[in-house]
Amino acid sequence: MRHFLTLKDFTKEEILEIIDIGLDIKKNLASKVYKKELENQTLGMIFEKSSTRTRVSFEVGMFQLGGHALFLSNRDIHLGRGEPVKDTARVISSMCDMVMIRTFEHSMVEEFARYSKVPVINGLTDSYHPVQLLADYMTLVEYGVDKNIVAAYVGDGNNMTHSWLMLAAKLGFELRIATPKGYEVNPDILSQALHIAKDSGAIIKTMNDPMEAVKGATVVTTDTWTSMGQEEEKEQRIKIFKGFMVDDKMMSLAAKDAHFLHCLPAYRGLEVSEEVFEKHSEIVFNEAENRLHAQKGLMVWLDRQR
Ligand code: CP
Ligand code: NVA
C-alpha cells in the first residue's frame, strides 16, 4: 500500500504512470472499466482549510469512478476538538477505502498515514501541494511542452514552490525560483531537491530577481503571496512582494509563446496582472480542470498498489 504525501516519495516513472492513467481516464471516461474502477469505495476528505478545486475535484472524481466521497470539515468532526490524529486515523481508515487530507502542519498527514490502514493523499499542507503539480504537469503534457520545460516560479517560497522543486528534481527539468529576500524556499527541502537533481539532471536555481528567473522560460508560474494561515501578514507581504507581480513586462522576457500557470485562486493586481491572467486563462482553467483528471489517475493508481 502506498500513500501520496509528497512527490519526493515517487519515482519519475511512477509520476508519469499516474499522469498517463489520468489522461487515459480523461479520454475514456465512458468506458465500463473506469466507471466501476472504484465501485463501492469511499474517500474520506478531511479539510482543515478552505477549498474550491480540491474538494470538488476529489468528490466528483470519486463519483465518476463509481465510488463515493465524504466531506469532513474539522469544524464538524472531533479532530477539530482535540481528538488525537492517530485515533482519528484508525477510526476513519477502518471505514473508508482512501483518505484525502488538507491541513496545516505536514507532520499531521505523516502521522495520519502511519496509523492509517488505507492510502492517504495530501490535499495540501503548509509544506507541499503535490496533487496540484500532477495537474500542472498533465497540462504541460497536453500543451506539448513537457519535453522542453524551463520553468520560472515567481513569488512566495511556499507549499507550491516546494512541490515544483520536487517535480523538477524528479523529472529532470530546469526550474528557476525567484522570491523576495526572507521569503525563500525551505532550505531543507531545497537541499533534498538538489540532491535528487544530481541523478535526474534537473537544473535548479534560486534567486531574488524575478526578471532573471523568467528570462527565456517556457513556463512561468506564481501563487498567492498570502497562503492560508498567513492572513494576518497580508498587508506586510503586499509591500514586500512589490516587483514580483507577473505582468506583461515580465512575460515579455520569457520565451516566445511561453505558458503561464496558476494553481488558483488568483489575486489580480498582486501576484499576477489582470492582462497576463486573462491572456493565459485558457491554459489556467484547463489546469484547474485537470485536477479532476489527474486525481482520478492518482486514486486508480493507489488502488492498484494494494
Ligand atoms: N489550487 C487549489 O488547491 O485550489 P483550492 O484551494 O480551491 O482547492
Ligand atoms: N499557497 C496557497 C495554495 C492554495 C491552493 C495556500 O496554501 O493557500
Side-chain angles (χ1 to χ4, degrees):
M1 182 185 83
R2 296 282 294 276
H3 301 294
F4 187 78
L5 304 186
T6 83
L7 293 170
K8 189 174 66 201
D9 314 325
F10 285 74
T11 63
K12 174 178 182 173
E13 290 67 33
E14 287 170 338
I15 295 169
L16 297 182
E17 204 183 337
I18 292 167
I19 305 283
D20 275 353
I21 300 172
L23 284 169
D24 195 50
I25 299 175
K26 189 172 178 177
K27 268 195 241 121
N28 302 304
L29 180 64
S31 87
K32 286 204 178 92
V33 183
Y34 287 131
K35 275 189 170 164
K36 294 194 171 185
E37 183 86 34
L38 300 182
E39 195 173 30
N40 296 327
Q41 293 202 30
T42 301
L43 173 74
M45 306 190 300
I46 300 176
F47 280 92
E48 300 202 84
K49 289 177 174 171
S50 305
S51 168
T52 300
R53 283 141 287 267
T54 305
R55 176 179 177 180
V56 176
S57 54
F58 271 109
E59 188 160 340
V60 172
M62 199 60 188
F63 173 73
Q64 291 181 348
L65 294 169
H68 171 72
L70 270 183
F71 174 69
L72 305 165
S73 151
N74 70 328
R75 281 185 294 278
D76 307 318
I77 60 173
H78 284 282
L79 184 68
R81 299 178 60 245
E83 183 166 13
V85 171
K86 59 185 180 180
D87 293 1
T88 308
R90 284 177 283 190
V91 172
I92 292 182
S93 71
S94 71
M95 300 179 193
C96 291
D97 303 280
M98 231 176 257
V99 180
M100 186 243 88
I101 305 172
R102 170 168 284 198
T103 190
F104 293 86
E105 296 275 320
H106 189 73
S107 56
M108 184 275 192
V109 293
E110 291 176 331
E111 184 180 357
F112 197 108
R114 271 200 304 281
Y115 285 91
S116 173
K117 297 189 205 49
V118 300
V120 175
I121 299 170
N122 174 3
L124 181 146
T125 62
D126 289 345
S127 308
Y128 296 104
H129 195 8
V131 285
Q132 179 68 52
L133 269 290
L134 291 180
D136 292 8
Y137 188 68
M138 176 185 264
T139 310
L140 296 178
V141 172
E142 285 185 321
Y143 277 72
V145 280
D146 52 308
K147 300 284 179 284
N148 179 30
I149 303 178
V150 177
Y153 177 98
V154 175
D156 186 26
N158 64 14
N159 43 13
M160 276 300 296
T161 333
H162 296 150
S163 285
W164 269 102
L165 268 174
M166 285 303 162
L167 186 78
K170 289 285 177 173
L171 300 191
F173 60 80
E174 180 167 348
L175 172 66
R176 298 100 170 247
I177 296 173
T179 60
K181 282 203 174 65
Y183 293 83
E184 284 90 356
V185 295
N186 176 309
D188 286 343
I189 296 174
L190 176 62
S191 84
Q192 290 170 36
L194 290 172
H195 184 73
I196 299 167
K198 279 189 205 149
D199 285 337
S200 70
I203 300 169
I204 292 171
K205 295 177 190 158
T206 56
M207 55 201 84
N208 300 116
D209 179 359
M211 300 301 179
E212 186 191 336
V214 299
K215 226 172 266 169
T218 57
V219 179
V220 177
T221 187
T222 184
D223 182 21
T224 180
W225 294 338
T226 308
S227 286
M228 290 179 275
Q230 299 172 334
E231 288 76 7
E232 282 176 11
E233 298 170 29
K234 189 174 173 197
E235 292 313 314
Q236 190 194 356
R237 282 172 171 265
I238 289 174
K239 285 188 204 126
I240 291 168
F241 281 74
K242 198 170 173 288
F244 282 77
M245 183 198 297
V246 179
D247 57 11
D248 283 328
K249 187 168 161 234
M250 204 183 276
M251 285 302 287
S252 72
L253 299 176
K256 192 172 164 284
D257 302 326
H259 291 293
F260 171 77
L261 293 179
H262 196 306
C263 66
L264 304 177
Y267 299 93
R268 277 83 146 181
L270 296 178
E271 77 271 10
V272 61
S273 70
E274 174 73 19
E275 293 74 23
V276 167
F277 186 85
E278 288 306 330
K279 193 163 154 203
H280 296 270
S281 59
E282 186 206 276
I283 190 168
V284 169
F285 288 107
N286 276 318
E287 176 190 3
E289 183 192 321
N290 279 338
R291 293 291 305 278
L292 172 67
H293 309 297
Q295 288 160 199
K296 282 193 286 191
L298 172 64
M299 291 191 287
V300 167
W301 189 90
L302 288 171
D303 185 54
R304 289 178 183 170
Q305 303 304 306
R306 45 184 166 193

